[in-house]
């Protein structure tokens, strides 16, 4: 039944966007499917369908739309992890917006206004994007503590980018709570800083000779902090809280890169207080592999997570990627594995 719903949802999305295809400047359809197992009794199948649509209005102004649909065969967690080892793992979601708005380009800068997901702009550098662990996306000092616009939810906001040579600066402001509904109080079009809080992010990046260095700060206020189980405090925090982060992707030799990450939440006493991670990535022709390990310090718990993965590219935009995870926290120590297939049309 779940698979049938997913196929029906995919067909509806394709039909909707195909009606505009001839007038569109760009249209993409990306399908990611993943089989997960704990090597004992548990297994599940997770699917992610994403559509991207761009329509030029002339004068460097574009309309951008992106949607996601998620389907999985089981709601049961294979391992009791804190950071989530699969970055596409989510509850069944027929259709949700990741992007909807207008982007204006002027010279080396751009301004987006509308609905947006933080994953579109932050923590998505070349080396981090290889790994499937969610902490290689937005660090848990931010994503585990607050209900921000992190996959699969989005929120109303503005995003500004400026690129000057090897330097790249970006700053954004969002409704503090992300949503994925189209109607009701939890609709994605909602902008209410008084009850949902407000989130501001700024990052400064430098890239040269295939190496990249990233640093940033997030300021948030009026949002309820979370704990390691995802529970929220009943009383909203009106004070300003801060998350700091930095990470580097250093080229060591032809096709070999070192990755180091660090983040701290110095003003928050709940949830994830600090995070550190590191690894190696190797690229050779159409093969990309890597090993990564991280440590996340939560208020009453902690977790070590490591990953070994390899991505095999085929065709113009397809890949197969197996990954193995070893997760150890105060609750348990377990192996888990997945094999992911992705293709873009």
């Amino acid at each position: 039944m779940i698979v049938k719903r997913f196929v029906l949802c995919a067909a509806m999305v394709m039909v909707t966007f195909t009606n505009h295809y001839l007038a569109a400047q760009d249209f993409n359809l990306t399908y990611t499917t993943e089989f997960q197992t704990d090597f004992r009794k548990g297994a599940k199948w997770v699917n992610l369908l994403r559509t991207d649509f761009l329509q030029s209005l002339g004068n460097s102004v574009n309309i951008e739309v992106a949607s996601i649909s998620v389907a999985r065969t089981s709601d049961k967690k294979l391992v009791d992890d804190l950071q989530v080892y699969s970055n596409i793992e989510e509850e069944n979601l027929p259709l949700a917006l990741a992007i909807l708005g207008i982007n204006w380009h002027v010279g080396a800068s751009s301004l987006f206004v509308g609905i947006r997901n933080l994953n579109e702009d932050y923590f998505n550098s070349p080396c981090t994007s290889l790994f499937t662990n969610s902490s290689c996306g937005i660090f848990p000092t931010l994503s585990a503590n607050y209900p921000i616009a992190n996959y699969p939810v989005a929120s109303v906001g503005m995003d500004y980018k400026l690129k000057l040579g090897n330097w790249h600066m970006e700053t954004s402001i969002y409704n503090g709570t992300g949503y994925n509904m189209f109607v009701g109080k939890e609709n994605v079009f909602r902008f209410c800083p008084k009850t949902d809080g407000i989130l501001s992010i700024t990052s400064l990046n430098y890239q040269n000779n295939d190496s990249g260095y990233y640093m940033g700060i997030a300021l948030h206020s009026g949002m309820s902090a979370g704990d390691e189980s995802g529970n929220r405090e009943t009383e909203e925090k009106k004070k300003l809280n801060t998350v700091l982060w930095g990470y580097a992707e250093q080229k060591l030799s032809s096709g070999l890169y070192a990755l180091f990450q660090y983040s701290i939440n110095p003003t928050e006493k709940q949830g994830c207080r600090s995070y550190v991670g590191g690894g190696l990535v190797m690229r050779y022709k159409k093969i990309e592999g890597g090993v990564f390990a991280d440590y996340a310090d939560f208020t009453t718990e902690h977790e070590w997570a490591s990953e070994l993965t390899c991505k095999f590219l085929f065709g113009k935009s397809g890949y197969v990627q197996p990954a193995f995870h070893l997760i150890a926290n105060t609750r348990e120590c377990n192996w888990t594995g997945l094999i992911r297939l992705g293709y873009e049309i």
Side-chain angles (χ1 to χ4, degrees):
M1 179 63 71
I2 294 175
V3 176
K4 289 183 178 179
R5 291 178 180 175
F6 180 79
V7 173
L8 179 59
C9 177
M12 292 174 63
V13 173
M14 292 179 64
V15 170
T16 301
F17 282 95
T18 301
N19 290 334
H20 300 279
Y21 181 77
L22 295 177
Q25 188 180 48
D26 193 17
F27 173 81
N28 293 296
L29 182 67
T30 305
Y31 175 61
T32 306
T33 184
E34 178 178 282
F35 177 80
Q36 305 174 2
T37 178
D38 63 357
F39 302 107
R40 296 182 300 276
K41 298 180 180 180
K44 68 164 67 172
W45 181 29
V46 183
N47 298 272
L48 169 64
L49 179 70
R50 177 181 170 115
T51 60
D52 289 271
F53 170 81
L54 185 147
Q55 170 65 55
S56 175
L57 300 180
N59 297 322
S60 302
V61 179
N62 299 322
I63 295 177
E64 297 182 8
V65 184
S67 68
I68 57 173
S69 303
V70 182
R72 62 183 182 181
T73 56
S74 174
D75 295 335
K76 183 180 179 180
K77 295 182 64 174
L78 298 183
V79 294
D80 194 10
D81 60 345
L82 302 173
Q83 300 179 71
V84 186
Y85 65 89
S86 171
N87 52 19
I88 70 168
E89 172 79 18
E90 261 304 330
E91 297 179 357
N92 292 319
L93 185 63
L95 184 65
L97 288 173
I99 302 175
L100 176 62
I102 295 178
N103 203 343
W104 181 32
H105 295 266
V106 178
S109 65
S110 67
L111 176 65
F112 176 90
V113 179
I115 294 167
R116 202 165 182 88
N117 184 307
L118 270 72
N119 304 89
E120 307 297 326
D121 306 299
Y122 298 95
F123 308 97
N124 55 6
S125 51
C127 287
T128 59
S129 61
L130 168 66
F131 299 99
T132 68
N133 190 300
S134 293
S135 289
C136 280
I138 297 179
F139 297 159
T141 47
L142 184 59
S143 63
N145 290 357
Y146 301 96
I148 58 174
N150 181 29
Y151 169 86
V153 298
S155 67
V156 174
M158 294 189 299
D159 177 73
Y160 174 76
K161 296 180 177 68
L162 174 64
K163 188 172 184 179
L164 298 174
N166 295 328
W167 291 93
H168 179 198
M169 189 275 288
E170 183 168 6
T171 185
S172 309
I173 187 168
Y174 300 89
N175 187 59
T177 303
Y179 300 104
N180 55 29
M181 305 296 289
F182 291 98
V183 295
K185 291 185 177 181
E186 297 184 354
N187 72 84
V188 71
F189 307 101
R190 174 187 173 100
F191 184 76
C192 189
K194 183 177 179 180
T195 56
D196 291 348
I198 195 101
L199 173 68
S200 173
I201 294 184
T202 300
S203 70
L204 181 64
N205 311 328
Y206 178 79
Q207 295 175 308
N208 191 25
N209 294 326
D210 290 334
S211 295
Y213 312 94
Y214 309 81
M215 64 187 74
I217 181 173
L219 304 175
H220 39 87
S221 64
M223 291 191 280
S224 301
D227 61 18
E228 45 270 31
S229 299
N231 300 317
R232 302 292 167 189
E233 293 180 352
T234 56
E235 183 179 354
E236 291 185 348
K237 291 183 172 294
K238 300 302 180 182
K239 65 180 182 180
L240 190 67
N241 292 300
T242 306
V243 174
L244 302 170
W245 74 83
Y247 64 103
E249 297 180 351
Q250 178 64 49
K251 183 178 181 180
L252 301 178
S253 63
S254 178
L256 182 63
Y257 301 82
L259 170 64
F260 177 76
Q261 305 172 331
Y262 181 73
S263 179
I264 187 171
N265 192 337
T267 57
E268 189 55 74
K269 300 183 184 300
Q270 299 292 325
C272 185
R273 298 174 297 185
S274 64
Y275 165 86
V276 61
L280 291 172
V281 173
M282 182 180 295
R283 301 189 182 109
Y284 178 73
K285 294 184 179 179
K286 291 190 174 184
I287 300 176
E288 186 176 8
V291 58
F292 182 83
D294 67 58
Y295 173 77
D297 178 30
F298 289 77
T299 307
T300 59
E301 299 186 60
H302 63 271
E303 181 173 86
W304 288 94
S306 58
E307 176 181 352
L308 175 64
T309 188
C310 193
K311 179 183 287 188
F312 303 90
L313 306 177
F314 65 87
K316 293 183 178 179
S317 54
Y319 69 89
V320 176
Q321 181 179 6
F324 297 94
H325 296 263
L326 175 61
I327 300 165
N329 54 40
T330 52
R331 305 176 186 179
E332 62 180 22
C333 179
N334 271 320
W335 281 96
T336 186
L338 59 86
I339 183 166
R340 180 178 292 184
L341 171 67
Y343 197 81
E344 179 179 331
I345 300 175

